[in-house]
Amino acid sequence: MAKQKKTDDLKLTEEEWKRVKLFVSLLAHADHAQQSFFSDHESTLQHALPALEALHRAWNNHLESEQYEPFKDGSNASTEKLVEYYERTADSDAYTLVMFLDPSQKDLYFKKYWGKELHA
């Protein structure tokens, strides 16, 4: 009986399961971003900036929602780290260059998402 009680005490409540599902939804954005710029079959560096920007947008949108309040501190720390990595891409022209060299993208991404002051 005592062992069964210990096991029962480990079961998540319905509210805890809701929190787990919310957390998994946050992690799904990171997984999608990571998958978008890793491939064994082709070059994917051109997907790095869009993936980082999309992840940043998704996490920020979730942070505005009250239901994600329990994850706010962790999400803020994650977003800050993401911004740090994004800013590091400015140290190398490779990220923007491969986007221009990709025939399917050229400068479309920059025109759509970056301000005119960044177009040169």
Side-chain angles (χ1 to χ4, degrees):
M1 265 328 237
K3 286 183 181 180
Q4 182 64 39
K5 172 143 177 40
K6 287 181 181 180
T7 303
D8 288 344
D9 289 344
L10 295 174
K11 290 181 181 176
L12 297 179
T13 65
E14 188 174 321
E15 188 60 36
E16 289 169 328
W17 275 115
K18 285 181 185 178
R19 226 181 235 192
V20 167
K21 288 177 183 178
L22 285 173
F23 187 63
V24 167
S25 74
L26 288 173
L27 294 178
H29 293 289
D31 181 57
H32 178 72
Q34 188 268 339
Q35 295 299 322
S36 71
F37 61 94
F38 285 105
S39 172
D40 291 336
H41 307 293
E42 63 185 359
S43 170
T44 57
L45 186 60
Q46 72 272 16
H47 301 296
L49 290 178
L52 291 171
E53 290 173 354
L55 180 56
H56 188 267
R57 260 191 320 277
W59 280 351
N60 279 333
N61 288 341
H62 283 305
L63 285 175
E64 294 173 7
S65 174
E66 196 174 301
Q67 66 181 345
Y68 289 93
E69 182 66 33
F71 310 109
K72 197 167 203 112
D73 291 340
S75 293
N76 283 333
S78 299
T79 302
E80 287 174 18
K81 185 55 79 173
L82 190 61
V83 167
E84 179 185 325
Y85 287 136
Y86 183 82
E87 289 174 351
R88 286 184 188 179
T89 66
D91 296 338
S92 172
D93 293 334
Y95 294 95
T96 52
L97 186 59
V98 296
M99 290 175 76
F100 277 110
L101 294 175
D102 180 356
S104 68
Q105 285 186 311
K106 298 207 181 261
D107 64 346
L108 296 175
Y109 184 84
F110 300 107
K111 287 180 178 178
K112 184 174 181 179
Y113 293 106
W114 290 19
K116 289 187 179 194
E117 67 279 358
L118 296 175
H119 299 188

